[in-house]
């Protein structure tokens, strides 16, 4: 049971996402080094981390020790995974006092790093050993990449899934430049603004793309999303239309509020960072505020809701009302930083998120498993098999992969 007492400290640390992500990056580097996949640039990054602190070097040497791997794997074999997972579910809700957190912070982070690296290698070896056929099946489920379709005002389309840079102009003279994974608009100096010139960017399943509007607002678009916007903003407001999910970093302009229209709602901001999840098949719109202020207006009604940082509004489309609560915003913005993070989410909701990105299909042989709840994280560009292995290890559900279809049963 010692391993679960260590996890108690680790999960107090879990909610501090910035520090967690830093250690998660180191985990990735050490894992790649051990598996022989480390690039020159990554090797330099890892070396800099190791040499930055004596504690880092000691931890690194301990992780790389073959004896440590042998002993740790013996511990894994003795752990009651199903029972332990239930304990983690309970522990993750508990909050440590501030002074207690400061005492265990460094040690908990080190333990987290050690457990994740060794655990990750454990799953890696299990999947690759003995010519496993399971790994070959999952190989057809690949992560998404930067790709999109741009629809110009005259209806012409431009594919944005190549790495080639290019630039072109809209009919009002606006310069559009395509980078490796983003699209940016520049003001059309010397031209008259035409308020009727609109572009639409469509992100397919298994895609993502970044966009910088003419006012400097940056938008991260998730898979299966669509944004319609003017190439130049005229009038007293800046209005765009969204379906799907996007993270907005809105350029501040007190004279021109930025308004996102979606599913019968208007989200109004000035200079703000927030995540908007408005997929049509969920029946709800989730607005999660990172910084600034947001006002949510129900179209055709005087109903409004105000959000403060670290708050989320869940708007139920069926009843036309919103519920506001405090949340850990990192859980809802993780996707734009390159990873998925789930906390007590239903299996069906988790897989709906993952399959948009991995372009996979899901079959539930027993509908009861849809409501099982899980917590965990996954590098957005990693093999989905790693996350499926974690779910399977709980003993709560059986998983089978056939081609790009994932089957769940009791």
């Amino acid at each position: 049971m010692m391993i679960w007492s260590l996890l108690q400290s680790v999960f107090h640390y879990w909610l501090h996402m910035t520090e967690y992500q830093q250690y998660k990056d180191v985990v990735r580097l050490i894992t790649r080094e051990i598996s022989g996949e480390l690039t020159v640039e990554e090797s330099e990054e890892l070396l800099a981390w190791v040499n930055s602190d004596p504690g880092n070097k000691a931890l690194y040497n301990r992780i790389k020790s073959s004896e440590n791997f042998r002993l740790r794997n013996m511990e894994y074999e003795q752990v009651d995974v199903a029972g332990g997972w239930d304990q983690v579910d309970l522990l993750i809700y508990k909050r440590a006092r501030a002074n207690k957190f400061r005492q265990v912070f460094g040690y908990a982070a080190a333990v987290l790093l050690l457990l994740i690296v060794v655990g990750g290698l454990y799953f890696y070896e299990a999947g690759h050993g003995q010519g496993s056929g399971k790994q070959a099946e999952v190989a057809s489920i690949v992560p998404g990449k930067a790709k999109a379709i741009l629809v110009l005002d005259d209806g012409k389309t431009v594919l944005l899934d190549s790495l080639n840079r290019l630039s072109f102009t809209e009919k009002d003279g606006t310069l559009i430049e395509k980078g490796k994974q983003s699209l940016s608009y520049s003001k059309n100096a010397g031209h008259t603004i035409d308020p009727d010139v609109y572009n639409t960017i469509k992100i397919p399943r298994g895609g993502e793309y970044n966009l910088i509007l003419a006012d400097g607002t940056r938008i991260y678009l998730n898979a299966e999303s669509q944004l319609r916007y003017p190439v130049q903003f005229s009038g007293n407001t800046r209005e765009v239309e969204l379906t799907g999910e996007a993270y907005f970093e809105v350029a501040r302009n007190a004279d021109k509020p930025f308004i996102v229209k979606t599913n019968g709602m208007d989200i109004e901001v000035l200079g703000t960072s927030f995540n908007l999840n408005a997929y049509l098949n969920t029946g709800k719109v989730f607005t999660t505020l990172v910084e600034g202020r947001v006002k949510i207006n129900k179209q055709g009604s005087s109903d409004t809701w105000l959000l403060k940082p670290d708050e989320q509004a869940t708007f139920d489309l069926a009843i036309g009302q919103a519920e506001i609560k405090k949340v850990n915003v990192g859980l809802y913005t993780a996707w734009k930083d390159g990873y998925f993070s789930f906390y007590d989410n239903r299996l069906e909701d988790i897989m709906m998120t993952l399959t948009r990105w991995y372009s996979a299909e899901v079959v539930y042989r027993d509908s009861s498993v849809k409501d099982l709840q899980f917590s965990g994280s996954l590098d957005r560009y990693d093999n989905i098999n790693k996350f499926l292995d974690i779910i399977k290890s709980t003993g709560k559900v059986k998983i089978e992969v056939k081609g790009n279809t994932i089957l769940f049963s009791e």
Side-chain angles (χ1 to χ4, degrees), residues 29 31 79 342 373 410:
L29 293 175
T31 303
V79 170
F342 303 105
Q373 294 181 316
E410 292 180 343

Side-chain angles (χ1 to χ4, degrees), residues 172-188:
D172 70 340
T174 297
L175 177 64
I176 306 174
E177 295 183 285
K178 175 191 173 298
K180 288 185 177 181
Q181 298 182 3
S182 65
L183 199 67
S184 62
Y185 288 73
S186 302
K187 292 184 178 180
N188 53 353

Side-chain angles (χ1 to χ4, degrees), residues 219-222 225 227 242 244-248 274-278 335:
I219 304 173
Y220 301 79
L221 289 153
N222 207 349
S225 300
L227 185 77
L242 173 73
E245 183 170 25
Y247 182 87
F248 293 83
F274 68 102
N275 193 80
L276 182 58
N277 184 317
W335 67 269

Side-chain angles (χ1 to χ4, degrees), residues 80-150:
D80 177 5
V81 176
W85 191 269
D86 291 336
Q87 292 185 46
V88 172
D89 282 341
L90 294 174
L91 292 173
I92 200 168
Y93 268 113
K94 298 180 181 178
R95 294 181 176 271
R97 295 179 180 177
N99 61 343
K100 179 65 175 176
F101 173 79
R102 284 193 292 270
Q103 292 171 5
V104 304
F105 176 89
Y107 183 57
V111 172
L112 176 63
L113 177 59
L114 183 60
L115 290 176
I116 292 179
V117 170
V118 179
L121 288 173
Y122 174 82
F123 287 126
Y124 179 89
E125 294 298 334
H128 286 73
Q130 301 175 351
S132 173
K134 181 181 72 171
Q135 197 68 27
E137 289 180 338
V138 180
S140 62
I141 303 178
V142 297
K145 61 181 181 179
K147 58 182 178 180
I149 299 171
L150 176 66

Side-chain angles (χ1 to χ4, degrees), residues 134 137-138 141 347 351 354 361-366 369 372 374 384-402 405-410:
K134 181 181 72 171
E137 289 180 338
V138 180
I141 303 178
L347 177 61
M351 296 313 301
L354 293 180
E361 303 297 330
V362 176
V363 173
Y364 299 97
R365 287 173 169 165
D366 300 291
V369 303
L372 295 175
F374 298 93
I384 194 173
N385 187 48
K386 293 184 178 181
F387 197 80
L388 296 180
D389 278 338
I390 293 173
I391 293 178
K392 187 185 297 185
S393 71
T394 67
K396 296 180 180 180
V397 61
K398 296 178 182 177
I399 303 175
E400 184 180 356
V401 179
K402 293 185 177 180
T405 301
I406 305 168
L407 300 96
F408 292 92
S409 59
E410 292 180 343

